[in-house]
Structures are given as structure tokens and as C-alpha cells.
Amino acid sequence: MRIYFLVGLLATGMVSLVAQVPSDSLQNEIILSGELEEITVTSSPVSRQPGITGASVSAITNHSLAKDGYLDLRAPLEQVPGLQMQSGAPNTSRITIRGVGTRTPYASNRVKAWFDEIPLTSGDGATTVGDLELSLVDRVEVVRGPSSAVYGPGMGGVLIFSPQIPGLDFRASVLSGLGSFGTFKNTGTLSYRKENSFLQVSIADSRSDGYRENSEYNRSNILLHGRLTSGIHSLSLLAGYTDLLAYIPSSVDLNSYRNTPQKAAANWLAMRGHRQYDKWQGGLSLKSDITESLSNTLVLYGMSTDAYETRPFNILDELTNIIGMRAKLVLQKGRTSVMAGLEYFDEHYKWKIFEIVDGKKGQLQSNNSEKRHFINFQVHADYRLTPTTVVTGGVNVHRLFFSRSEEIGHLEEESHNYPWILSPRVGLNQRLSTTMYLYASAGHGFSAPSPEEALLPDGGINRDLKPEEGITIDGGLRGTFWHDRLQLNLTVYSINVRNMLMTRRDAEDIFYGENAGKTKHRGLETDLRLYILPYSKDRINVTLAASHTWMSNRFKHFIQDETDYSGKTLPGQPASMLNLSLEAEAPGGIFLQVRMRNESSQPRNFFLTLSYSF
């Protein structure tokens, strides 16, 4: 169980947000004058009221991120029901949604992420969000379940980070923060905006000694964000640079975790194991309103990461270059909205492995190159069947091409193409009253094997390994009661997965993927917020928030090495996650917040003979 006491003073720039929005809502609904505020939700390319969305969507505002000092994404994200973020260090985390992705040991590769129109998910499906500068993020939207028709196929869900839009005229701001274990950060922003055109540049520096041994963290970010609007056209630019140096304490055994959790793994401490990289990423977007009902958006994006990781068993030197293009045409006419889209993604990944000799870099052991490119065709439609009923439908068609070569060794260049995969999705939303809605959806998602999973121990491509696929069905109730003082979102879901990808590890530096048969994920998600008194910007507001997840994740059929695991619980995921928070916020941004998180024990092996809890 984790309990947090937060006391803070928000910057003056946050006060205007508080005056518009009643507290930092994690709810899908923000109530203004008895109505649901209209915002753009990620399950549809068309602006809709959240209540009209036939999907499970949560939003985290900048106001909520500010209350954690823009230092940690884990705490705000874990208040979203169904989501768990496990972190060994600030630069190593794994995000799972509804238990999907628990069998991946080191990365978030069942959840897709975007920063505006730039993908934060690489060609192998690995998502990195830990190096984002949170003070520059306006909001985070979390879609639980597949959103294939808009953002491509993904088993667990999608995270969309939206950059901040500056205020009018010239503005400058400086934000500084201090934390425990030598943590501090500084952010400076300069911007100019005239009507709908603006230019903003931000520089941020974050540093921490860390709680554990060998966990120092140093990161610098530069972000350039601009928009030029002329007539029917709007040209947007988003470009960023990240310089990261993060030491790795690695994992320890259960006894060390319980008694000396501040200790690092002895071999990683002796080597001062760390990861460092320079990352450049950017995107250029052109939106044209061809007519009042027809618009077109073209996006070009790219990313380059030069990384170097020192480990006890070897040194990994990586270079990743990504280019891509997205295009979508949106037609809104009468009761119908239709979107047709195309995405092309190309990634070239090179990696070298050097041996370790007496703690120093030795000879080159392998020199590898891998190319991945995929194409997505997307169609999505919304139709208002009646004044109170909205139906949605969409489909994504995906094709992945994969090739690799090794310059040292006996492997020649080889390639493998995965078959075309069709991922449909349908949704329904029924309004019961002004502030109460029923919704349901069903969608297909899939995740392709990562390079580590796709390669055999001898370096060859495992052509028998299949992508992980699943069907998600969910439905629920969202609404407000008691004169808008009580907000409720209740969702029940079921996921059937086949060809589940599971990482098998034969040695510290040898692991590969295998298909682990079929699994079934079931759960109930509850999100509730109560305003103790009617909201008023002129007095202290007290809110009580609670979110709870109950889930059951089991193998339907899986036999490994003649051992039958069918019916066993998937390890590494709690059956229950509860978040409670009580907050008092006064005019001017002063607040007191008490927050508690409880997770049930988590099985460590398939037979439930070992478990651990916080």
C-alpha cells in the first residue's frame, strides 16, 4: 500500500485553468452548467462530447500533472482504472492496460503512444514516454482497448499527449521544482501568439540522485512548437531534442526488495551500468479546410535516437532512424462523419554488441541491422442514428515487412513479411438523460513481435512466431448525479487473446519470444468523483475521488515443455487496484491532497506458489 501527502502552491498560470475546470479531473466528463464539456476524444477523429463517445476514455489535465510537480507520470497515470505503470527507474517503465502486456519484461509494447501527431512507439511496438517533459504537456488522453481505426492496431490501448498552446502576445515563464533524493528541475518557456498563429520554445533540465544505488538521472529537453494559419490552411511544427543519461540499478531478489530496497543489483553497481542517448524527433502537419464539411490533414514525421548502454554482460550501441507519413480526409455532413486515412512508417535499426573485459569495452561481437516498415489503411465513421443514439464503426488494414542482416557471423540478410491483418471496431452510445449515457464497443487489436521476440537464440528469424491478436468487448455507464456533484464511470470488459507473445529467458542476455496459446482477460473498472460541496471558485473546494479495477487474467490454453498451464493466472498483475484521494484546494492554487494506492498481491509464477505485494 502506498500513501502520499501532497501540499503545494500552483503557479499563477494554473489558476485560470482552475477557474474554468472544477478541479483536476481524471473523469471523461467535465461538468459545466449541467452539460458535458465538448472536447476532442481520441476514439474518434471528430470533436464530440465525451459522453457521446462509444469508448473507454480518460483524460489527465496539465493541472493534475502540476500537482505532482511535473516530476512523475506514474502517479497521475495509475489513477486511471485498468492501467498499471511499473518503474525500476525513471527511464525504465512498463505500462499495461487491462492486463495486456504483462509478459513483456522490460518495455511497454502493447500500448501505443503519440505526442500530438508524432508516434512515441517504435517499429517493434516499444513505447517510451519517460523522457517527455511533462510541464510542456497540456493533457494526456488514455484510450483503454483497441483504437485501430484512428491510431492503428494496438492490443492494450493508446496514450495521446497534447502539447500546450500558449496564450496571446509575448509570454515568458520559469518553473523550478525541488524533490527528495537530490531531485530538481528547471523549465523556461518563451512564446508569442497572435490569433491562431504562435511560436513557442521551451528548455527543461531534470536531475535526481535517485532513491536506489546507481540510479542517478539527468535529462535535458528542448521543444519547439509553432503554428501558422492563413486562410483555409494551418501549418504546424513540433520539434524536440532529448539528452539523457540514466544509471540502472536493475532488479533484485525478493528478500533484498523487502529489506534493502535502496540497494542496486551488485553486478550493475560494480559496472556502473547506465543508458544514455540523444534523441531528435519532429513533425510537420498541414491541415486544409477544403469546404465547411471537408478537411484534409497531411503529417510528415521523423525521429533519430543514438543510444549507448553499458551492462554487466556486454555493451549495446544502438542507432534508430524513423520516418513516416500520415494523411487523413474527414467529411462531416448532416448526421454523418467519415474519415479515411493512410499511414506509412519506416524504421532502420542498427545495433552493435561489444564484450566486457575487466569492466571495460572489448572487441566487437556482433553488428546487426534491421529494417521494419508497415502501412495502415484506415476508415472510420460516426452516424447519429437518432437524437440520442450514435453508432460508430471503423476498420484498419495493416501489413508489416521485416528484414535483418548481420555483418559478423554466418547469417546473411533475410526477410519476413507478416500477412495482412484486418482490425475492425464498432461502438454504440445511447443517451439516457442529459448527463447519463450507456456505451458499448467491440474491437480487434494486435501486436507484432519485437526484435528480441522475433529472433531465435542463434540470430535467425523465427518464422513460426505469430503476432498477438485479440478481441475486446466492453460496455458501461457514464454520467453525473446529485446536481452534478457526483461523477461516475463504470465499465465492464472481456478480452480474448490468441497467440499471446511471451518472452522466454534462457540466460541474462539471451531471451526470445514464443506464442503462449490463448488467454482471457475480464474486468470491472470504476471511476468516481464526489464534490463534497457545490463547486465555487471563491472558496475552498473539497473533492473525494476513487478508482478501482478488478480483473482476472488467465491462460485458456498453454502447454510449455509438456507442462499444462491452462487455467492458471498470468503472473505479474494484481487482481485488484484501488486509488483513493481526498483534496482541498483554495483560491490561488494552494492545495492539500492525501492519496492512497493499494494493489493486491501479485503472483510471481504460473502455479501461484510465489507472490509479492506492496
Side-chain angles (χ1 to χ4, degrees):
M1 180 184 298
R2 289 173 280 169
I3 300 178
Y4 306 88
F5 293 87
L6 300 177
V7 181
L9 173 63
L10 298 184
T12 305
M14 302 299 172
V15 178
S16 62
L17 178 59
V18 179
Q20 299 172 30
V21 179
S23 186
D24 57 313
S25 178
L26 275 172
Q27 305 291 332
N28 301 350
E29 298 81 26
I30 301 175
I31 308 305
L32 298 178
S33 304
E35 295 292 337
L36 296 176
E37 182 188 19
E38 182 168 294
I39 62 174
T40 302
V41 292
T42 52
S43 58
S44 170
V46 181
S47 297
R48 293 285 192 188
Q49 292 181 348
I52 306 178
T53 305
S56 300
V57 185
S58 297
I60 304 171
T61 66
N62 180 277
H63 189 60
S64 180
L65 297 174
K67 290 179 179 178
D68 282 281
Y70 300 118
L71 295 172
D72 183 22
L73 183 61
R74 178 181 178 181
L77 273 184
E78 286 196 327
Q79 294 182 60
V80 175
L83 187 148
Q84 185 187 44
M85 183 174 181
Q86 297 172 313
S87 300
N91 64 306
T92 57
S93 62
R94 184 186 69 178
I95 299 173
T96 60
I97 297 178
R98 294 176 172 175
V100 176
T102 58
R103 305 315 307 145
T104 301
Y106 305 117
S108 308
N109 66 357
R110 302 295 184 268
V111 177
K112 297 175 70 69
W114 295 78
F115 187 44
D116 200 22
E117 296 285 355
I118 302 175
L120 301 177
T121 303
S122 60
D124 61 1
T127 294
T128 302
V129 297
D131 58 4
L132 286 175
E133 174 50 47
L134 298 180
S135 63
L136 309 179
V137 174
D138 181 64
R139 62 185 286 117
V140 186
E141 294 185 13
V142 182
V143 183
R144 304 189 297 279
S147 187
S148 56
V150 180
Y151 285 99
M155 281 294 299
V158 184
L159 305 179
I160 298 93
F161 296 81
S162 300
Q164 283 194 326
I165 304 298
L168 293 173
D169 301 323
F170 283 103
R171 300 202 177 194
S173 65
V174 176
L175 173 69
S176 295
L178 296 173
S180 55
F181 310 110
T183 300
F184 71 89
K185 70 180 305 178
N186 296 292
T187 304
T189 301
L190 183 66
S191 66
Y192 174 74
R193 177 180 170 186
K194 183 178 181 181
E195 297 179 346
N196 293 324
S197 299
F198 65 86
L199 181 64
Q200 177 176 259
V201 60
S202 301
I203 300 176
D205 184 71
S206 302
R207 300 183 184 276
S208 178
D209 295 333
Y211 168 68
R212 299 179 63 192
E213 296 175 333
N214 202 57
S215 61
E216 298 97 317
Y217 181 80
N218 304 300
R219 189 191 77 226
S220 298
N221 296 81
I222 301 175
L223 182 69
L224 177 66
H225 186 204
R227 179 186 298 163
L228 178 63
T229 302
S230 177
I232 65 171
H233 303 292
S234 178
L235 181 67
S236 298
L237 170 68
L238 186 65
Y241 167 73
T242 302
D243 178 16
L244 177 77
L245 171 60
Y247 288 85
I248 304 173
S250 195
S251 55
V252 294
D253 58 31
L254 183 60
N255 182 64
S256 298
Y257 172 76
R258 287 176 171 171
N259 298 297
T260 55
Q262 72 277 12
K263 296 291 186 180
N267 56 345
W268 284 82
L269 178 62
M271 273 297 301
R272 290 285 283 162
H274 66 275
R275 180 174 178 81
Q276 61 186 82
Y277 59 74
D278 295 293
K279 177 191 289 185
W280 297 87
Q281 57 188 20
L284 192 64
S285 172
L286 176 63
K287 181 179 180 182
S288 302
D289 295 321
I290 302 172
T291 67
E292 291 185 358
S293 58
L294 183 65
S295 66
N296 180 72
T297 302
L298 176 65
V299 181
L300 302 176
Y301 59 80
M303 182 167 62
S304 179
T305 305
D306 188 358
Y308 188 89
E309 184 172 321
T310 300
R311 308 181 289 189
F313 39 86
N314 58 36
I315 291 176
L316 176 64
D317 190 352
E318 301 173 290
L319 178 63
T320 304
N321 291 312
I322 294 173
I323 59 171
M325 179 274 292
R326 301 181 73 207
K328 64 179 179 180
L329 190 68
V330 178
L331 174 66
Q332 301 182 63
K333 200 156 185 81
R335 297 185 295 176
T336 304
S337 301
V338 179
M339 184 275 290
L342 166 69
E343 179 185 8
Y344 176 78
F345 180 101
D346 184 273
E347 177 185 76
H348 191 186
Y349 172 52
K350 298 180 180 180
W351 76 98
K352 299 177 182 179
I353 296 178
F354 296 86
E355 65 178 350
I356 294 286
V357 180
D358 297 327
K360 298 180 180 180
K361 182 178 178 180
Q363 291 185 345
L364 179 66
Q365 292 181 320
S366 65
N367 187 358
N368 304 271
S369 176
E370 178 180 294
K371 296 180 181 179
R372 283 181 176 235
H373 56 276
F374 65 75
I375 189 168
N376 284 319
F377 297 100
Q378 302 160 339
V379 177
H380 179 94
D382 289 6
Y383 180 68
R384 187 178 290 275
L385 191 62
T386 71
T388 60
T389 305
V390 175
V391 294
T392 63
V395 64
N396 182 92
V397 183
H398 177 96
R399 183 75 186 273
L400 172 64
F401 305 88
F402 170 53
S403 66
R404 73 170 300 269
S405 62
E406 183 177 350
E407 296 181 12
I408 297 180
H410 302 289
L411 285 176
E412 298 179 354
E413 182 171 347
E414 55 181 344
S415 62
H416 180 62
N417 300 332
Y418 291 96
W420 289 96
I421 297 181
L422 187 72
S423 298
R425 185 186 180 279
V426 294
L428 172 69
N429 187 283
Q430 177 65 48
R431 188 177 71 186
L432 303 179
S433 66
T434 305
T435 58
M436 190 182 305
Y437 298 82
L438 284 175
Y439 65 94
S441 69
H444 174 273
F446 87 96
S447 296
S450 66
E452 293 85 0
E453 293 170 331
L455 301 183
L456 295 168
D458 63 3
I461 296 176
N462 184 356
R463 301 182 185 278
D464 296 327
L465 193 65
K466 301 176 181 178
E468 179 177 302
E469 298 185 59
I471 299 291
T472 297
I473 300 174
D474 62 9
L477 170 72
R478 61 168 67 101
T480 62
F481 310 88
W482 196 23
H483 306 292
D484 297 340
R485 288 167 57 185
L486 176 64
Q487 302 177 14
L488 173 66
N489 194 335
L490 186 68
T491 305
V492 61
Y493 68 85
S494 176
I495 308 173
N496 287 285
V497 179
R498 67 175 182 175
N499 302 322
M500 190 189 79
L501 290 169
M502 184 171 70
T503 301
R504 182 164 181 170
R505 189 170 188 173
D506 291 343
E508 190 170 23
D509 61 339
I510 299 177
F511 45 91
Y512 54 94
E514 64 179 353
N515 290 123
K518 299 179 180 179
T519 62
K520 187 174 184 64
H521 305 246
R522 296 177 297 167
L524 175 65
E525 300 166 342
T526 307
D527 206 352
L528 179 120
R529 180 172 295 272
L530 173 65
Y531 299 94
I532 305 300
L533 297 173
Y535 173 79
S536 173
K537 64 180 180 179
D538 299 321
R539 64 162 180 254
I540 296 177
N541 291 284
V542 181
T543 58
L544 174 66
S547 66
H548 180 262
T549 304
W550 171 86
M551 57 184 162
S552 172
N553 309 316
R554 295 181 177 273
F555 286 106
K556 292 177 64 176
H557 178 73
F558 176 44
I559 298 176
Q560 183 187 65
D561 297 334
E562 300 182 354
T563 301
D564 190 354
Y565 297 103
S566 303
K568 302 296 182 182
T569 299
L570 271 69
Q573 191 77 26
S576 173
M577 298 184 293
L578 173 66
N579 292 286
L580 296 174
S581 69
L582 179 64
E583 178 182 292
E585 183 171 347
I590 300 175
F591 71 94
L592 171 66
Q593 185 181 82
V594 181
R595 196 164 61 207
M596 182 197 78
R597 179 176 176 85
N598 178 266
E599 296 179 359
S600 62
S601 61
Q602 305 179 35
R604 295 169 55 206
N605 60 9
F606 292 124
F607 293 102
L608 310 183
T609 55
L610 297 173
S611 65
Y612 68 93
S613 60
F614 293 99

